[in-house]
Amino acid sequence: HTFHRISIHLALTPAEQAMQMLARTLLALATCAALLPSAGAFLGAPVPTVSSLRLLNSARSSSIRLKPATPALRLPQRQGVRMEAATTEKFEFKAEVSRVMDIIINSLYSEKDVFLRELVSNAADACDKKRFLSLTEQKGSADNLAIKIKGDKDKKELVIEDSGVGMSKEELVANLGSIAQSGTKKFEEMMKAKELQPQGEDAVQLIGQFGVGFYSGFLVADKITVYSKGLNSDDGKTFMWQSEAGSGYSISDVTGAEEIEGESGTRIVLSLREDCEEYTEAFKLKQLIARYSEFINFPISVWAKKTTYEQVEDEEANKDLAEGEEKKMKTVPVETEDWERQNTQKPLWMRPPSEVTADQYEEFYKSTFKAMDKPLTLSHFSLEGQVEFRALLFVPGQLPWELASNMFDEEAGNMRLYVKRVFINDKFTELCPRWLKFVKGVIDSEDLPLNVGREILQKSSVLRVVSRRIVKKSLQMFEDIQEKGGEDWATFQKNFGKYLKVGVVEDKDSREDIADFITFQSSNDPKQTTTISEYIKRMKEGQECVYYISGDGRAQCEISPAMDKVKESEFEVLYCTEPLDELCMMELKEVEGKALVDLAKDEVQGIDDKAADVEKKEQLVKDYSSTLEYLKETLGDSIEKAEVSVSLRDSPANLAQGKYSMSPQMQKYMKARATAMGEEADMTGGAGMPSVLQINPEHPIVARLNAEIQGGQKNEGTERTARLLYHVASLMGGYEIADPKQFATLVTQIMAGGNGPAASAAKAPEVTKPKEEEAKEEQAKVEEAKVEEAKAEVVEAEVVSENKETKKEKKEKKE
């Protein structure tokens, strides 16, 4: 606080003393307000103003001096708060009508086509209101309720007419003259107030919500004219409401040809803009009705040309016709104009499933989704409670053509959202996860949070409930197909198996449920795929884990050195032949309590962790320590380390990955992905990421290499052998050969008969035998030599004897 020393010299009369007391009070309040503004507000005292402080000067013979003293602590000054008697006034928002209209026309809707949806929906509401009043208040007739649309190219006009409830003059002012005032909303409130809520077929399905749909007509029209005769009008007159966008409106009564026929109805005439003349064409109108208003309850007809064919006499051919002969006829096309009914398809999802046949479902699927195939299965259900909606889902019989080139094509609308049978959009990705992109469906709900233009689906708890239910029902459909089995299940897996695997990777909430339906190739059957659950049922006694291996294909998986690890036990192995397969295994981690284990890892659970093998490995590591060091020294950063494996059988070496490293197939995928995105893949080492080189101590090549290294024979031959071990393991394991030139040179040297361990490795190597066995073999060789020597002596004696006999014979002959 800042303290002030106040010095006052008084020589005052009683009247002046009273004035001085007032001045002192004002001064104290002013000081408090300056130093502690909240104090005055807290005490409820008014803050003195400058004018009130001038009273100080009126005190005669008084001298008031303020001398600031040295402050002990100075705080930032705060603005005083003036406390006055609270007065509250209410005001209504004002809007510039022309600006509001401009926003509705140019900013509320992104497509011009939706104007027809909005106006047809309004016409349908008018017909529904009339039907309701005829049932509850016996007003008017519910017969011949219909909507008609006609384009006039010459006048550049589009006419939309309905035989609904219509509007009186007062209703025209209230409904069309007030922006965002929904007549439908008021009608619903009136129904609730009168407790009129018919059920079943008599239930009212009103569409309008916001009271701005009518003004979407200005998206395509410069001027809108409305002719209407109200059912509630006492005079039965037809009134004309007319407006140009942003310029107000006028109302007048009409007579003659422009009057509305019948007891009530409305006719809307749109004077189209120059760039919107396409909306006078019948083909365009039919297209929009089929897209947006196909399932409106009331008949929608379009005025269109029809071509029919009639049989008439062929005058040219009958010129020379003889008397009595039958006249020749010809077929000629005849063009006529007439009303064509457009919405013949029924909204099956609004009916109970028990009332719909299989043929009706199939016809609905083909017509709604423009499909040629027959659905594998379907699900027709509804949800009631806090969130209400109806849905009809289909699993296609073949991959939709729009997903053939891009499995997640954003333009491929698979879920069609309707609100009270009026199509809204099929591009809402929030309705179901993208791994269900192949499931076709119709969803009808009025609880979903749409924006005014019905083009944006806002995120909410309602949306999450709908999405979860769609996922649940989809999984039930997949289960039905799986139980059916046979060709349907094989077709489903062939066309949509990848989508399910994407679901395992992306949908953490449903991951375990989806895992029941994903399939893999297996060592159990070369022709049939299997699920993980089926694998678990076939597991051998004592098997703890589910084993899998990755490869570019089945053949690559089968020749992998890692398969040696299950040869003795004959455990079944799942083959992950696509990147998605391996990603599924990484995300699942375990199924039904069984761990998913990659055989290509350096430590394989259930195989390398056996107590007997651990002790054996410890001893082999000591025996091969020099060889392991030599391999690491020779191969350098190409490998993380070299180690002895006791689970390898036929292969001399194997490349394995650490616990958190990627398989060779995943490395290739990541490298290709980085290249496609214009990035440089962060892969180092000979085969991508540094691997663990596992050697088989029982293989002759490895045993010979170990003997030579322990004997001190480290030369070009041993280096060649070490590198060949690595390259062959890379090739067999599915890795890329980092240095093809080096590999080719090594192989060429062997083919040329090069000396050294590498060349010897290509031949059948000699294995060092125990000394006792060598002594026996040596003794056998000696004995064999003696036998051969004896044989030679016998042969020589026989030859000498034969020679002697031959000389004697010659002598006798000579004699």
Side-chain angles (χ1 to χ4, degrees):
H1 300 275
T2 302
F3 296 95
H4 296 77
R5 185 182 298 109
I6 303 175
S7 176
I8 302 178
H9 301 279
L10 300 177
L12 305 176
T13 63
E16 289 174 335
Q17 288 180 8
M19 182 64 70
Q20 189 273 336
M21 290 295 295
L22 174 61
R24 181 182 295 177
T25 303
L26 289 174
L27 179 61
L29 287 173
T31 304
C32 288
L35 300 179
L36 271 175
S38 58
F42 177 79
L43 295 172
V47 178
T49 61
V50 174
S51 59
S52 63
L53 290 177
R54 288 175 181 169
L55 290 171
L56 296 175
N57 296 327
S58 63
R60 296 179 187 177
S61 303
S62 65
S63 175
I64 302 176
R65 296 187 302 276
L66 302 180
K67 297 182 181 180
T70 303
L73 175 65
R74 183 179 297 276
L75 297 176
Q77 291 188 354
R78 296 169 56 189
Q79 186 177 354
V81 179
R82 182 182 297 275
M83 300 297 292
E84 298 179 354
T87 58
T88 303
E89 295 183 59
K90 289 187 176 181
F91 299 90
E92 292 186 0
F93 290 106
K94 295 182 179 180
E96 187 179 341
V97 177
S98 60
R99 180 59 182 153
V100 172
M101 290 298 295
D102 182 66
I103 291 173
I104 293 174
I105 296 169
N106 299 315
S107 304
L108 201 57
Y109 301 97
S110 61
E111 292 185 17
K112 292 180 180 179
D113 291 348
V114 297
F115 86 92
L116 191 62
R117 178 192 72 187
E118 298 297 319
L119 296 181
V120 169
S121 298
N122 288 349
D125 279 351
C127 292
D128 217 358
K129 291 174 187 177
K130 185 174 181 179
R131 182 180 65 85
F132 173 76
L133 292 175
S134 69
L135 293 172
T136 57
E137 300 181 11
Q138 287 72 48
K139 286 186 178 181
S141 172
D143 299 332
N144 301 321
L145 293 173
I147 303 168
K148 296 182 177 181
I149 304 172
K150 182 178 181 180
D152 191 327
K153 289 186 178 180
D154 297 331
K155 295 182 180 180
K156 299 179 181 179
E157 290 181 347
L158 177 63
V159 181
I160 302 171
E161 188 170 359
D162 68 77
S163 54
V165 70
M167 290 176 283
S168 63
K169 181 178 180 180
E170 291 75 15
E171 289 170 332
L172 284 170
V173 174
N175 295 334
L176 304 186
S178 301
I179 299 173
Q181 178 166 305
S182 173
T184 297
K185 207 73 176 176
K186 282 190 173 182
F187 191 82
E188 288 180 336
E189 292 172 358
M190 180 271 292
M191 287 168 42
K192 290 180 181 179
K194 295 183 177 181
E195 297 183 352
L196 299 173
Q197 293 292 339
Q199 302 296 323
E201 294 183 357
D202 296 334
V204 180
Q205 298 282 341
L206 298 177
I207 302 166
Q209 295 183 38
F210 305 109
V212 296
F214 169 78
Y215 306 101
S216 65
F218 287 112
L219 290 169
V220 297
D222 293 321
K223 181 175 68 174
I224 298 180
T225 305
V226 179
Y227 300 91
S228 190
K229 181 193 289 188
L231 184 65
N232 297 321
S233 178
D234 297 330
D235 51 16
K237 287 184 178 181
T238 298
F239 291 92
M240 180 184 72
W241 181 97
Q242 193 172 72
S243 175
E244 296 182 13
S247 62
Y249 63 92
S250 62
I251 297 179
S252 60
D253 54 346
V254 295
T255 57
E258 295 178 339
E259 282 190 284
I260 297 294
E261 297 180 0
E263 56 192 5
S264 63
T266 300
R267 183 191 312 121
I268 300 175
V269 181
L270 303 176
S271 301
L272 299 173
R273 299 178 181 178
E274 291 185 2
D275 60 340
C276 297
E277 293 181 12
E278 62 175 329
Y279 295 108
T280 61
E281 298 176 3
F283 175 78
K284 179 68 174 180
L285 297 174
K286 291 178 183 179
Q287 189 181 46
L288 295 180
I289 291 170
R291 176 171 174 79
Y292 291 109
S293 307
E294 184 180 9
F295 300 105
I296 292 293
N297 275 346
F298 304 98
I300 303 175
S301 301
V302 174
W303 184 260
K305 290 182 178 180
K306 296 175 64 177
T307 301
T308 58
Y309 296 90
E310 296 181 357
Q311 291 285 328
V312 297
E313 291 185 12
D314 190 343
E315 297 180 357
E316 190 68 27
N318 292 331
K319 281 182 180 180
D320 302 327
L321 189 67
E323 187 176 351
E325 290 186 13
E326 186 179 354
K327 292 183 178 182
K328 296 181 179 180
M329 308 294 287
K330 66 177 182 180
T331 303
V332 295
V334 178
E335 281 194 358
T336 58
E337 288 186 317
D338 200 357
W339 295 106
E340 284 187 21
R341 173 78 181 270
Q342 301 301 310
N343 57 333
T344 56
Q345 188 72 31
K346 299 296 182 182
L348 295 186
W349 67 87
M350 302 297 291
R351 295 163 58 181
S354 59
E355 297 180 6
V356 186
T357 65
D359 292 338
Q360 288 175 326
Y361 279 128
E362 183 177 344
E363 181 185 356
F364 176 85
Y365 167 76
K366 291 181 177 179
S367 63
T368 303
F369 300 104
K370 307 299 182 288
M372 302 298 294
D373 58 304
K374 182 180 178 180
L376 293 177
T377 188
L378 61 89
S379 179
H380 185 182
F381 63 97
S382 62
L383 180 65
E384 297 180 356
Q386 186 178 1
V387 179
E388 295 185 3
F389 75 94
R390 298 173 182 269
L392 181 54
L393 307 179
F394 297 91
V395 175
Q398 64 184 27
L399 183 67
W401 62 268
E402 62 269 20
L403 300 178
S405 57
N406 181 2
M407 64 184 296
F408 299 117
D409 187 1
E410 294 182 357
E411 296 301 317
N414 62 315
M415 287 292 169
R416 297 172 62 87
L417 176 63
Y418 289 79
V419 173
K420 298 178 180 178
R421 308 173 311 284
V422 176
F423 175 71
I424 302 302
N425 210 324
D426 58 1
K427 301 295 188 296
F428 291 136
T429 57
E430 300 89 349
L431 279 176
C432 68
R434 71 170 190 157
W435 65 271
L436 286 177
K437 190 72 174 178
F438 65 95
V439 176
K440 301 287 188 179
V442 171
I443 300 168
D444 195 324
S445 174
E446 52 188 290
D447 292 334
L448 291 176
L450 290 166
N451 72 328
V452 178
R454 302 175 190 260
E455 296 176 349
I456 300 175
L457 191 59
Q458 301 166 352
K459 292 185 178 181
S460 68
S461 58
V462 174
L463 186 59
R464 287 192 293 272
V465 170
V466 174
S467 180
R468 284 198 298 267
R469 184 52 61 98
I470 291 174
V471 171
K472 182 179 179 180
K473 289 296 182 179
S474 297
L475 292 173
Q476 290 177 0
M477 289 193 293
F478 304 158
E479 186 176 1
D480 293 341
I481 300 173
Q482 187 181 34
E483 291 177 355
K484 192 185 301 182
E487 187 177 346
D488 285 353
W489 177 243
T491 301
F492 175 77
Q493 283 297 330
K494 178 182 177 182
N495 292 329
F496 311 120
K498 288 184 178 179
Y499 288 91
L500 300 184
K501 291 173 182 177
V502 172
V504 170
V505 175
E506 295 183 346
D507 194 340
K508 62 180 181 180
D509 295 330
S510 306
R511 181 173 295 153
E512 294 181 1
D513 296 324
I514 305 171
D516 294 336
F517 308 108
I518 59 175
T519 61
F520 304 89
Q521 295 188 54
S522 165
S523 60
N524 180 65
D525 190 332
K527 296 181 179 179
Q528 298 292 331
T529 58
T530 181
T531 63
I532 300 177
S533 297
E534 292 170 343
Y535 174 104
I536 293 174
K537 292 177 182 178
R538 295 191 298 267
M539 286 175 59
K540 294 183 178 297
E541 186 177 353
Q543 183 178 348
E544 302 174 357
C545 309
V546 175
Y547 296 107
Y548 70 91
I549 192 169
S550 303
D552 285 337
R554 183 183 186 90
Q556 177 69 62
C557 294
E558 289 176 339
I559 66 172
S560 174
M563 290 293 291
D564 283 3
K565 300 178 180 181
V566 294
K567 277 192 175 179
E568 282 189 1
S569 59
E570 296 183 347
F571 290 158
E572 182 180 349
V573 180
L574 298 177
Y575 297 149
C576 297
T577 57
E578 298 178 359
L580 270 176
D581 295 347
E582 188 174 354
L583 288 173
C584 285
M585 298 298 188
M586 294 166 63
E587 293 294 340
L588 287 172
K589 296 181 177 60
E590 67 174 37
V591 174
E592 297 180 16
K594 304 293 184 181
L596 305 179
V597 178
D598 187 357
L599 281 178
K601 297 299 183 184
D602 56 344
E603 292 291 337
V604 179
Q605 182 181 344
I607 295 177
D608 293 331
D609 54 359
K610 295 179 180 178
D613 290 341
V614 170
E615 294 178 1
K616 182 179 179 181
K617 184 176 179 179
E618 291 176 354
Q619 181 60 41
L620 287 171
V621 168
K622 295 178 182 179
D623 297 340
Y624 281 77
S625 59
S626 300
T627 302
L628 298 177
E629 292 176 2
Y630 178 78
L631 289 172
K632 174 58 179 173
E633 180 183 346
T634 302
L635 298 175
D637 292 336
S638 297
I639 62 173
E640 181 182 344
K641 64 179 179 178
E643 66 178 21
V644 174
S645 173
V646 295
S647 55
L648 293 177
R649 293 294 176 264
D650 299 334
S651 303
N654 173 51
L655 278 183
Q657 291 292 334
K659 185 176 181 179
Y660 301 105
S661 299
M662 291 186 291
S663 71
Q665 279 63 45
M666 189 57 63
Q667 292 178 34
K668 291 177 185 177
Y669 170 74
M670 296 300 291
K671 185 176 180 180
R673 183 174 179 272
T675 302
M677 297 178 66
E679 301 174 358
E680 184 176 353
D682 185 17
M683 300 289 183
T684 57
M689 300 178 68
S691 306
V692 176
L693 179 63
Q694 297 179 324
I695 58 174
N696 180 5
E698 297 180 358
H699 197 279
I701 295 176
V702 177
R704 181 180 179 84
L705 178 63
N706 183 57
E708 291 181 352
I709 291 175
Q710 288 183 350
Q713 300 179 22
K714 296 182 181 180
N715 49 38
E716 292 183 3
T718 54
E719 181 181 347
R720 190 181 301 123
T721 301
R723 294 193 181 280
L724 276 172
L725 277 176
Y726 169 73
H727 285 307
V728 171
S730 298
L731 191 63
M732 297 291 286
Y735 293 86
E736 292 182 352
I737 300 297
D739 192 348
K741 181 179 179 181
Q742 183 189 71
F743 179 65
T745 301
L746 294 173
V747 174
T748 303
Q749 289 175 355
I750 294 176
M751 294 171 65
N755 297 323
S760 302
K763 305 174 184 178
E766 296 181 5
V767 181
T768 304
K769 298 180 179 180
K771 293 182 179 181
E772 294 180 0
E773 187 176 345
E774 289 182 354
K776 290 181 181 180
E777 289 183 358
E778 189 66 28
Q779 182 65 29
K781 288 180 180 179
V782 171
E783 292 178 357
E784 185 179 354
K786 290 180 179 180
V787 172
E788 292 295 330
E789 186 178 354
K791 287 181 180 180
E793 291 177 355
V794 172
V795 171
E796 185 177 358
E798 289 180 353
V799 172
V800 171
S801 175
E802 183 179 355
N803 288 340
K804 287 180 179 180
E805 290 179 359
T806 302
K807 289 179 180 180
K808 185 178 180 181
E809 288 178 357
K810 286 182 179 180
K811 185 177 180 181
E812 289 177 354
K813 287 180 180 180
K814 187 175 180 181
E815 292 176 351

